[in-house]
Amino acid sequence: MKNILFSICFFFISSAIYGQSYFTSAGVRVGNGFGITVKQRMLKKVTLEGIISSNGDFTYLVGLVEFHQPVLTRYFNLYGGAGLHSSFANSSSESGAFGLDFIAGLECNISKLNLSLDYMPQINLSGGGNVIQGGAALSIRYIIINDRVFKERQKAKQKQKRKAKRKEFFEGIGKK
C-alpha cells in the first residue's frame, strides 16, 4: 500500500511540477490549529516566513528564516530553518509564552500554488504549559509575485535608469 501511495504521489508531483519559482506567497496553514502564512524570498535560497495561527487555547505569532535546497527541480524543495514565537492565551486562566521554533519541510510549486508539508517543534523559554511542543502542518499558498514578474520589474527599473543617464549625458554636452 505504501508503494502504491508513493508511486501516485511521485507521478503527480513529477508530472505537475511546471510552476514558477516565487518571491512572495500567502495562504493558509492547517495543523494543530488554523492559521495564515506569508513567505517572502530574501536571497536565492533564503525565505522569511510569518505565521499567525490559533488552536483555540492560544494564538501564535511566529517568524522564521528558512533555507531551501532544490531536490528534483527548483520547484520542489526541502527546507529547514529557525525563528521565534510568541503566544497569547485566549482565556484569562492561561499565560502566554515566548520561545524558539525550528522547522523542516518539503514544498512544491504547481502553477500559482505553493504547497508545503512541514514539522515545527517549539521550545518555550518563558511561560506556556509545555516546555517542548510541536506538530506537522500543511500550507497552501497563492504565489503573489513569481520570478518572471519580479525579473520584468527589475528590467523596467534598469531601463529607466539607463534612459535617465543618457538624457543627463546629452544635456551635459551642450553646456560649457
Side-chain angles (χ1 to χ4, degrees):
M1 183 65 179
K2 287 182 182 179
N3 290 338
I4 293 170
L5 184 59
F6 177 77
S7 298
I8 291 169
C9 289
F10 183 77
F11 176 76
F12 174 77
I13 290 169
S14 64
S15 65
I17 298 178
Y18 59 87
Q20 307 211 3
S21 192
Y22 65 91
F23 274 86
T24 306
S25 63
V28 295
R29 177 181 172 85
V30 180
N32 290 344
F34 183 79
I36 297 171
T37 172
V38 176
K39 268 192 167 183
Q40 175 67 43
R41 191 166 92 184
M42 302 307 288
L43 299 171
K44 187 173 183 175
K45 294 183 180 182
V46 178
T47 60
L48 294 179
E49 182 175 9
I51 301 169
I52 299 173
S53 66
S54 180
N55 65 4
D57 296 331
F58 292 94
T59 299
Y60 293 91
L61 298 175
V62 181
L64 299 161
V65 176
E66 300 168 350
F67 301 91
H68 294 254
Q69 183 62 45
V71 178
L72 299 172
T73 71
R74 68 184 192 144
Y75 309 117
F76 193 68
N77 298 310
L78 286 172
Y79 65 93
L84 299 171
H85 76 269
S86 182
S87 66
F88 306 96
N90 294 338
S91 67
S92 60
S93 63
E94 302 276 341
S95 65
F98 175 79
L100 300 173
D101 292 271
F102 301 94
I103 192 166
L106 183 66
E107 80 173 4
C108 175
N109 296 337
I110 302 172
S111 189
K112 294 289 275 177
L113 291 179
N114 173 258
L115 308 171
S116 68
L117 180 63
D118 62 60
Y119 182 75
M120 185 170 64
Q122 299 176 318
I123 301 172
N124 290 327
L125 300 175
S126 67
N130 299 331
V131 174
I132 299 175
Q133 58 192 19
L138 173 68
S139 297
I140 301 172
R141 297 179 201 88
Y142 178 77
I143 297 174
I144 299 168
I145 300 175
N146 60 28
D147 268 347
R148 186 175 46 88
V149 171
F150 182 77
K151 287 176 183 175
E152 287 172 2
R153 288 181 185 174
Q154 293 297 96
K155 284 182 183 179
K157 285 181 184 179
Q158 292 296 328
K159 186 176 180 179
Q160 288 294 333
K161 285 182 184 179
R162 287 191 306 268
K163 189 175 181 180
K165 284 183 180 180
R166 279 194 307 264
K167 184 177 179 184
E168 194 175 286
F169 174 77
F170 286 113
E171 286 177 353
I173 290 176
K175 295 181 182 178
K176 293 183 181 181

